[in-house]
């Protein structure tokens, strides 16, 4: 195991602390109480500045996750170091990568973290964790945040042999990436089973689906109509990855932005709903209270 997470810890600024405690609303418009813990994914660009990594004012922040024009690999206790005049608080989230053996869980983690992608498939023998830092700019306040994603990857056979593996991966998890391969239709059909197995309607977990090996379009077993139907029914977006890794951020930005946007949006919604006063039960409104 390359790393681990103990008690969940997130370093945020004073404003974000007030949001999480529910004493301050992040949004300028009032937020209605949620009817269900399961939320639809927010449209891209609703919460953060879309494609901010392309803007010149983001350069000072994105250079901190690069080393010699390549992605910098961060250890468990490492973080980007910003100069005093550039303030950027850090928020930390745990992300579990789920999928059948061979769909590319380890390759996706390596792609997102800037590690070298393995040339040959091998079964992950236990649990592996990778650290990803990703700066975003909030749309409403123009504040910059560094999102630290700790990616958890566990081999399917190891998970079946040792019950504590799945428990460790799900413990205090914030988001789950459900993977399938475009060259394996069975892995796509298994996505619904994975969602039922690893999540519960009462869980406050962000769910995203990632289709791997999209570059092998000549051998695809999953059609676009099936993808569209799945998104309509599940209300979960599907992202596509595959091919060689370039030196830019274009291949990983949509997925990392979606993670950041949905996690931050969910935390703000939860904090705002927690700050609302409890609603009386309809049967209690006409009751006489005798002291």
């Amino acid at each position: 195991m390359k790393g681990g997470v103990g008690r969940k810890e997130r370093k945020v600024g004073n404003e974000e602390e007030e949001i999480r405690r529910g004493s301050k609303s992040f949004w300028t418009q009032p937020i209605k109480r949620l009817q269900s813990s399961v939320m639809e994914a927010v449209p891209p660009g609703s919460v953060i500045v879309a494609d901010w990594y392309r803007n010149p004012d983001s350069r000072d922040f994105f250079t901190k996750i690069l080393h010699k024009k390549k992605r910098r690999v961060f250890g468990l206790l490492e973080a980007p170091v910003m100069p005093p005049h550039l303030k950027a608080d850090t928020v930390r989230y745990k992300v579990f990568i789920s999928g059948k053996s061979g769909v590319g869980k380890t390759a996706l983690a390596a792609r997102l973290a800037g590690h070298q992608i393995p040339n040959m498939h091998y079964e992950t023998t236990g649990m592996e964790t990778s650290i990803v830092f990703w700066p975003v700019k909030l749309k409403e306040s123009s504040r910059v945040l560094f999102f630290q994603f700790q990616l958890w990857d566990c081999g399917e056979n190891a998970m079946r042999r040792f019950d504590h593996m799945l428990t460790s991966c799900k413990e205090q998890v914030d988001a789950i990436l459900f993977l399938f391969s475009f060259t394996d239709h069975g892995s796509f059909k298994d996505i619904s089973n994975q969602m039922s197995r690893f999540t519960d309607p009462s869980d406050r977990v962000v769910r995203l689906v990632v289709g791997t090996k999209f570059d092998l379009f000549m051998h695809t077993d999953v059609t676009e109509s099936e993808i569209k139907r799945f998104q309509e029914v599940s209300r979960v977006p599907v992202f596509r990855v595959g091919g060689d890794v370039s030196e830019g951020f274009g291949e990983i930005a949509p997925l990392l932005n979606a993670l950041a946007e949905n996690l931050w949006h969910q935390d703000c919604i939860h904090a705002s709903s927690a700050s609302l006063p409890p609603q009386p039960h309809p049967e209690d409104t006409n009751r006489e209270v005798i002291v």
Side-chain angles (χ1 to χ4, degrees), residues 7 11 28 38 45 74 105 117 137 152 164-165 170 187 209 211 217 221 238 246 252 281 289:
R7 185 184 59 177
K11 177 184 177 184
T28 57
V38 178
F74 290 93
K105 299 187 294 295
I117 298 179
K137 189 173 187 178
W152 283 57
H164 70 277
M165 292 282 194
K170 292 176 59 178
S187 66
V209 174
F217 59 90
D221 289 334
V238 176
S246 65
I252 62 173
H281 193 279
V289 180

Side-chain angles (χ1 to χ4, degrees), residues 1 36 43 66 94 117 138 182 192 204 214-215 217 223 228 231-232 245 278:
M1 179 173 175
S36 172
L66 296 174
K94 177 179 177 180
I117 298 179
L138 300 179
F182 274 96
S192 297
R204 194 163 61 92
F214 184 63
D215 55 313
F217 59 90
T223 65
K228 182 179 180 180
Q231 292 182 118
E232 291 174 348
V245 178

Side-chain angles (χ1 to χ4, degrees), residues 194-268:
Q194 289 186 50
M195 289 184 171
S196 300
R197 178 186 177 192
F198 296 139
T199 61
D200 186 85
S202 62
D203 293 339
R204 194 163 61 92
V205 176
V206 169
R207 303 177 302 167
L208 301 176
V209 174
V210 182
T212 63
K213 305 178 184 179
F214 184 63
D215 55 313
L216 303 178
F217 59 90
M218 295 294 294
H219 307 282
T220 182
D221 289 334
V222 184
T223 65
E224 287 298 320
S225 60
E226 289 178 303
I227 298 294
K228 182 179 180 180
R229 176 60 179 167
F230 172 83
Q231 292 182 118
E232 291 174 348
V233 173
S234 67
R235 298 181 179 180
V236 176
V238 176
F239 295 84
R240 299 160 175 81
V241 296
D244 296 331
V245 178
S246 65
E247 295 183 357
F249 295 112
E251 296 170 331
I252 62 173
L255 180 55
L256 291 179
N257 279 339
L259 270 175
E261 194 158 31
N262 283 276
L263 285 166
W264 185 252
H265 175 70
Q266 180 173 259
D267 275 358
C268 292

Side-chain angles (χ1 to χ4, degrees), residues 5 62 64-66 71-80 90-95 97 105-115 128-136 145-152 177 249 252-253 255-257 259-260 263:
V5 176
F62 278 93
K64 299 302 178 180
I65 63 173
L66 296 174
R71 294 285 301 286
R72 179 184 172 186
V73 178
F74 290 93
L76 187 62
L77 302 179
E78 295 179 314
T90 300
V91 288
R92 299 178 173 90
Y93 294 95
K94 177 179 177 180
V95 181
I97 302 178
K105 299 187 294 295
T106 302
L108 177 66
R111 183 186 297 268
L112 296 179
H115 299 171
E128 297 182 355
T129 61
S130 305
I131 300 296
V132 179
F133 281 93
W134 186 250
V136 303
L145 294 175
F146 263 108
F147 280 76
Q148 177 186 328
F149 302 119
Q150 189 170 84
L151 308 179
W152 283 57
L177 301 180
F249 295 112
I252 62 173
L255 180 55
L256 291 179
N257 279 339
L259 270 175
L263 285 166

Side-chain angles (χ1 to χ4, degrees), residues 107-127:
L108 177 66
R111 183 186 297 268
L112 296 179
H115 299 171
Q116 184 176 358
I117 298 179
N119 294 325
M120 298 181 61
H121 169 260
Y122 65 92
E123 175 74 20
T124 303
T125 56
M127 285 187 293

